[in-house]
Amino acid sequence: MATATIEYHAPDTVEAAVALLREHGAAARILAGGTDVVPALKYGVVGARHLVSLKRLGALRRLEVSADGDLVVGALVTLADLASSPVVRARWPVVAEAAGQAGSPLLRNRGTVGGNLCLDTRCWYFNQTEAWRASRPPCWKTAGDRCHVNEGENRCVALFSADTPPAFLVAGARVTLAGATAPPAGRTIPMEALYTGESLKPVALGESEVVTTVTVPAPPPRSAAVYLKHAVRDSLDFPVLGVAARVALAPDGTIADARVAVTGAGPAPLRLAEVEAAVHGRRAPAADDAAVARLTARTLGPLFLSDGVPHKRAMAGLMAAEALARAAAAAGEIR
Amino acid sequence: MKRLIQLTVNGQTRDVPVQPTRTLLDVVRDDLGLTGAKRGCDLGACGACTMLLDGRPVNACLVLAVEAEGAEIVTIEGIAAGGRLDPIQQAFVEHGAVQCGFCTPGLVLATKALLEATPEPCDTAMREALSGNLCRCTGYVKVFDAIRAAARRLREERTCPVTPS
Ligand SMILES: Cc1cc2nc3c(=O)[nH]c(=O)nc-3n(C[C@H](O)[C@H](O)[C@H](O)COP(=O)(O)OP(=O)(O)OC[C@H]3O[C@@H](n4cnc5c(N)ncnc54)[C@H](O)[C@@H]3O)c2cc1C
Ligand code: FES
Ligand code: FES
């Protein structure tokens, strides 16, 4: 780690954390569980000279159901606690499922919800040691001027690969932030708005902003959601693709509301609005529905295979159809 | 800039000067001389560095030492009591669950956390609990045999007050 000059701060309040972030601007980096920041420090790809640890912010550890029936998840709740929470498993199982599939049990004991949502994008040519990267000219993501994935590409195509965002997205989650530069200091946004769609800076946070909580509304009646993860190994691996779907059924058994979101297929976790609209008002698709698969593959747009998996577009289609079918079947069992 | 922090490792609290970017694994191995936890990948992907942090198994290679201030840290050196191996260690020895041994401290500590939370784990729970700890030698079969045996022994210790000599 080329890091002797890094300073560590562990503020006691959110306000103090925001003040530190404001003071140090681009030279500061938030540290939550550190399971992504620490590898990045070791790889020498974090420019920060100040680490602002959130560990003393007890208020960010709450995990509860509000009086309105919303699930309120503090940014510092670990993925392990989210995955094993009885109330989350009972009422928002898709969120528990996605959290429980990230990384490994050891990583989930440290990795937090806030860190998972704000995870940096990943690329074969970026998440490597300095010595490894030195064999090529620097790429966009390391302040260079080229892309090693697609030669000639005039932008970075690193992929967003965190597991929980698709699950939170189909569940309709909102994210509360503290420390916006312009007043009001706090704001709550739909999770879709947390992402820029740019691989270089995937998360749409101001320099002094901190994610404090994620709020998930109670699911609609006769609805169910699933998260499917395709990875090289069942543990320790980021998703090659992750697809979440939620289906709510009308009394006649047709689809009253459908949501599909993917991770690992672009610079941000994506809602697939066209696919959602296409199945709306119809009977549930079969798990091998070719039309849903084709439409999904098409809506994904250009797919940069920065993790080197050529069958990704086809896989995404099959997984979306299967996720919708499974969610609809589970919703159909609710009377 | 170095900071003086208090680390509580295996019940003993000491003041340790550390650079903020050094990991718990680096400090425990290189400064405290406890080399039981191994440095494998140094990137969170093998579990050889596993330590218990407030009872939970974590990748010590990804925890900055400054972040562990105020926590109870347990390493493999801390679980044998009074010269007697922990029943989990004993079971690993007896069941041939140790070959090269590089993964063993991590597997034993991950098992310790598992059996404390779930004294009678099913096979799925065992596989799940150890899925962040890679072993390239044993194929895990003898490891799972050892865990079953350790769970049995711990159950007997709880229900039978006579300590084996
Ligand atoms: C071997 C390995 C395998 C992994 N596999 C997976 C996987 O399968 N799926 C997966 O999703 N992840 C995986 N991860 C990544 C990581 O462990 C998780 O995403 C974890 O949830 C990150 O959380 P953290 O608290 O450790 O984040 P940190 O490393 O602390 O932070 C990550 C990023 O988020 C920012 N940040 C953190 N908290 C906040 C906040 N409250 N507000 C604003 N910004 C914030 C940080 O500044 C940083 O940029 C893996 C990591 C490793 C090392
Ligand atoms: S050395 Fe820490 S996980 Fe490999
Ligand atoms: S005994 Fe050699 S890696 Fe497990």
Side-chain angles (χ1 to χ4, degrees), chain A residues 209-230:
Chain A
E209 281 188 304
V210 182
V211 172
T212 56
T213 43
V214 180
T215 307
V216 192
R222 267 200 106 195
S223 73
V226 298
Y227 177 66
L228 305 181
K229 174 171 178 172
H230 169 51

mmCIF file of all heavy atoms in Angstrom, chain A residues 209-230:
data_model
loop_
_atom_site.group_PDB
_atom_site.id
_atom_site.type_symbol
_atom_site.label_atom_id
_atom_site.label_comp_id
_atom_site.label_asym_id
_atom_site.label_seq_id
_atom_site.Cartn_x
_atom_site.Cartn_y
_atom_site.Cartn_z
ATOM 1 N N GLU A 209 -21.575 13.941 0.822
ATOM 2 C CA GLU A 209 -22.791 13.193 1.146
ATOM 3 C C GLU A 209 -22.509 11.771 1.631
ATOM 4 O O GLU A 209 -21.604 11.095 1.154
ATOM 5 C CB GLU A 209 -23.724 13.159 -0.066
ATOM 6 C CG GLU A 209 -24.503 14.452 -0.228
ATOM 7 C CD GLU A 209 -25.561 14.361 -1.289
ATOM 8 O OE1 GLU A 209 -25.222 14.029 -2.434
ATOM 9 O OE2 GLU A 209 -26.732 14.632 -0.982
ATOM 10 N N VAL A 210 -23.350 11.371 2.580
ATOM 11 C CA VAL A 210 -23.257 10.040 3.182
ATOM 12 C C VAL A 210 -24.636 9.395 3.071
ATOM 13 O O VAL A 210 -25.648 10.041 3.346
ATOM 14 C CB VAL A 210 -22.914 10.155 4.689
ATOM 15 C CG1 VAL A 210 -22.769 8.784 5.312
ATOM 16 C CG2 VAL A 210 -21.669 10.986 4.901
ATOM 17 N N VAL A 211 -24.677 8.140 2.666
ATOM 18 C CA VAL A 211 -25.936 7.402 2.723
ATOM 19 C C VAL A 211 -26.190 7.078 4.185
ATOM 20 O O VAL A 211 -25.321 6.512 4.856
ATOM 21 C CB VAL A 211 -25.864 6.093 1.907
ATOM 22 C CG1 VAL A 211 -27.103 5.243 2.137
ATOM 23 C CG2 VAL A 211 -25.682 6.395 0.429
ATOM 24 N N THR A 212 -27.352 7.466 4.697
ATOM 25 C CA THR A 212 -27.636 7.155 6.101
ATOM 26 C C THR A 212 -28.596 5.978 6.241
ATOM 27 O O THR A 212 -28.384 5.106 7.064
ATOM 28 C CB THR A 212 -28.198 8.375 6.848
ATOM 29 O OG1 THR A 212 -29.365 8.824 6.154
ATOM 30 C CG2 THR A 212 -27.178 9.492 6.934
ATOM 31 N N THR A 213 -29.665 5.966 5.432
ATOM 32 C CA THR A 213 -30.621 4.864 5.554
ATOM 33 C C THR A 213 -31.222 4.491 4.202
ATOM 34 O O THR A 213 -31.248 5.284 3.278
ATOM 35 C CB THR A 213 -31.822 5.235 6.459
ATOM 36 O OG1 THR A 213 -32.240 6.545 6.142
ATOM 37 C CG2 THR A 213 -31.523 5.108 7.908
ATOM 38 N N VAL A 214 -31.713 3.273 4.167
ATOM 39 C CA VAL A 214 -32.478 2.788 3.021
ATOM 40 C C VAL A 214 -33.854 2.434 3.569
ATOM 41 O O VAL A 214 -33.956 1.777 4.610
ATOM 42 C CB VAL A 214 -31.824 1.532 2.419
ATOM 43 C CG1 VAL A 214 -32.621 1.042 1.229
ATOM 44 C CG2 VAL A 214 -30.395 1.823 2.026
ATOM 45 N N THR A 215 -34.889 2.914 2.896
ATOM 46 C CA THR A 215 -36.248 2.657 3.348
ATOM 47 C C THR A 215 -36.978 1.852 2.281
ATOM 48 O O THR A 215 -36.969 2.226 1.107
ATOM 49 C CB THR A 215 -36.981 3.988 3.581
ATOM 50 O OG1 THR A 215 -36.184 4.788 4.448
ATOM 51 C CG2 THR A 215 -38.339 3.766 4.233
ATOM 52 N N VAL A 216 -37.554 0.741 2.711
ATOM 53 C CA VAL A 216 -38.221 -0.144 1.757
ATOM 54 C C VAL A 216 -39.693 -0.241 2.125
ATOM 55 O O VAL A 216 -40.019 -0.657 3.243
ATOM 56 C CB VAL A 216 -37.593 -1.559 1.784
ATOM 57 C CG1 VAL A 216 -38.072 -2.376 0.600
ATOM 58 C CG2 VAL A 216 -36.075 -1.493 1.815
ATOM 59 N N PRO A 217 -40.595 0.148 1.228
ATOM 60 C CA PRO A 217 -42.012 0.082 1.563
ATOM 61 C C PRO A 217 -42.498 -1.362 1.675
ATOM 62 O O PRO A 217 -41.875 -2.274 1.128
ATOM 63 C CB PRO A 217 -42.693 0.779 0.372
ATOM 64 C CG PRO A 217 -41.722 0.689 -0.751
ATOM 65 C CD PRO A 217 -40.352 0.653 -0.137
ATOM 66 N N ALA A 218 -43.605 -1.537 2.386
ATOM 67 C CA ALA A 218 -44.200 -2.868 2.488
ATOM 68 C C ALA A 218 -44.596 -3.312 1.080
ATOM 69 O O ALA A 218 -45.058 -2.512 0.279
ATOM 70 C CB ALA A 218 -45.421 -2.825 3.391
ATOM 71 N N PRO A 219 -44.377 -4.589 0.766
ATOM 72 C CA PRO A 219 -44.714 -5.055 -0.584
ATOM 73 C C PRO A 219 -46.223 -5.006 -0.824
ATOM 74 O O PRO A 219 -47.008 -5.129 0.120
ATOM 75 C CB PRO A 219 -44.207 -6.495 -0.610
ATOM 76 C CG PRO A 219 -43.684 -6.817 0.721
ATOM 77 C CD PRO A 219 -43.774 -5.634 1.599
ATOM 78 N N PRO A 220 -46.669 -4.831 -2.086
ATOM 79 C CA PRO A 220 -48.100 -4.819 -2.371
ATOM 80 C C PRO A 220 -48.717 -6.194 -2.114
ATOM 81 O O PRO A 220 -47.999 -7.199 -2.065
ATOM 82 C CB PRO A 220 -48.161 -4.465 -3.864
ATOM 83 C CG PRO A 220 -46.797 -4.671 -4.405
ATOM 84 C CD PRO A 220 -45.839 -4.620 -3.270
ATOM 85 N N PRO A 221 -50.054 -6.235 -1.953
ATOM 86 C CA PRO A 221 -50.702 -7.528 -1.729
ATOM 87 C C PRO A 221 -50.506 -8.461 -2.929
ATOM 88 O O PRO A 221 -50.327 -7.996 -4.052
ATOM 89 C CB PRO A 221 -52.183 -7.173 -1.557
ATOM 90 C CG PRO A 221 -52.334 -5.776 -2.058
ATOM 91 C CD PRO A 221 -51.002 -5.117 -1.947
ATOM 92 N N ARG A 222 -50.527 -9.741 -2.661
ATOM 93 C CA ARG A 222 -50.362 -10.776 -3.707
ATOM 94 C C ARG A 222 -49.150 -10.505 -4.583
ATOM 95 O O ARG A 222 -49.229 -10.511 -5.801
ATOM 96 C CB ARG A 222 -51.622 -10.881 -4.568
ATOM 97 C CG ARG A 222 -52.582 -11.944 -4.037
ATOM 98 C CD ARG A 222 -53.554 -12.399 -5.088
ATOM 99 N NE ARG A 222 -53.248 -13.717 -5.608
ATOM 100 C CZ ARG A 222 -53.783 -14.201 -6.732
ATOM 101 N NH1 ARG A 222 -54.576 -13.468 -7.470
ATOM 102 N NH2 ARG A 222 -53.504 -15.414 -7.108
ATOM 103 N N SER A 223 -48.048 -10.194 -3.945
ATOM 104 C CA SER A 223 -46.823 -9.992 -4.712
ATOM 105 C C SER A 223 -45.725 -10.866 -4.135
ATOM 106 O O SER A 223 -45.789 -11.272 -2.975
ATOM 107 C CB SER A 223 -46.399 -8.527 -4.668
ATOM 108 O OG SER A 223 -45.880 -8.212 -3.391
ATOM 109 N N ALA A 224 -44.734 -11.145 -4.965
ATOM 110 C CA ALA A 224 -43.560 -11.875 -4.497
ATOM 111 C C ALA A 224 -42.389 -11.455 -5.356
ATOM 112 O O ALA A 224 -42.568 -10.982 -6.487
ATOM 113 C CB ALA A 224 -43.774 -13.387 -4.597
ATOM 114 N N ALA A 225 -41.195 -11.605 -4.797
ATOM 115 C CA ALA A 225 -39.999 -11.185 -5.521
ATOM 116 C C ALA A 225 -38.899 -12.212 -5.330
ATOM 117 O O ALA A 225 -38.847 -12.897 -4.304
ATOM 118 C CB ALA A 225 -39.534 -9.818 -5.019
ATOM 119 N N VAL A 226 -38.037 -12.328 -6.339
ATOM 120 C CA VAL A 226 -36.902 -13.243 -6.233
ATOM 121 C C VAL A 226 -35.633 -12.555 -6.739
ATOM 122 O O VAL A 226 -35.702 -11.590 -7.503
ATOM 123 C CB VAL A 226 -37.093 -14.543 -7.060
ATOM 124 C CG1 VAL A 226 -38.278 -15.332 -6.573
ATOM 125 C CG2 VAL A 226 -37.218 -14.236 -8.549
ATOM 126 N N TYR A 227 -34.485 -13.078 -6.310
ATOM 127 C CA TYR A 227 -33.200 -12.610 -6.832
ATOM 128 C C TYR A 227 -32.432 -13.824 -7.321
ATOM 129 O O TYR A 227 -32.242 -14.784 -6.569
ATOM 130 C CB TYR A 227 -32.401 -11.886 -5.741
ATOM 131 C CG TYR A 227 -31.025 -11.452 -6.212
ATOM 132 C CD1 TYR A 227 -30.900 -10.485 -7.209
ATOM 133 C CD2 TYR A 227 -29.863 -12.022 -5.689
ATOM 134 C CE1 TYR A 227 -29.645 -10.090 -7.666
ATOM 135 C CE2 TYR A 227 -28.605 -11.620 -6.140
ATOM 136 C CZ TYR A 227 -28.504 -10.660 -7.128
ATOM 137 O OH TYR A 227 -27.268 -10.269 -7.580
ATOM 138 N N LEU A 228 -32.029 -13.790 -8.570
ATOM 139 C CA LEU A 228 -31.230 -14.876 -9.122
ATOM 140 C C LEU A 228 -29.815 -14.377 -9.378
ATOM 141 O O LEU A 228 -29.630 -13.330 -9.996
ATOM 142 C CB LEU A 228 -31.822 -15.368 -10.449
ATOM 143 C CG LEU A 228 -33.283 -15.798 -10.444
ATOM 144 C CD1 LEU A 228 -33.688 -16.273 -11.837
ATOM 145 C CD2 LEU A 228 -33.520 -16.897 -9.415
ATOM 146 N N LYS A 229 -28.846 -15.131 -8.896
ATOM 147 C CA LYS A 229 -27.452 -14.727 -9.072
ATOM 148 C C LYS A 229 -26.711 -15.776 -9.879
ATOM 149 O O LYS A 229 -26.759 -16.960 -9.561
ATOM 150 C CB LYS A 229 -26.778 -14.551 -7.705
ATOM 151 C CG LYS A 229 -25.282 -14.268 -7.788
ATOM 152 C CD LYS A 229 -24.703 -13.888 -6.434
ATOM 153 C CE LYS A 229 -23.189 -13.667 -6.536
ATOM 154 N NZ LYS A 229 -22.627 -13.132 -5.297
ATOM 155 N N HIS A 230 -26.025 -15.311 -10.907
ATOM 156 C CA HIS A 230 -25.180 -16.207 -11.696
ATOM 157 C C HIS A 230 -23.738 -15.771 -11.457
ATOM 158 O O HIS A 230 -23.380 -14.625 -11.726
ATOM 159 C CB HIS A 230 -25.558 -16.080 -13.170
ATOM 160 C CG HIS A 230 -24.610 -16.752 -14.104
ATOM 161 N ND1 HIS A 230 -24.220 -18.064 -13.940
ATOM 162 C CD2 HIS A 230 -23.965 -16.307 -15.204
ATOM 163 C CE1 HIS A 230 -23.372 -18.376 -14.906
ATOM 164 N NE2 HIS A 230 -23.201 -17.327 -15.689
#
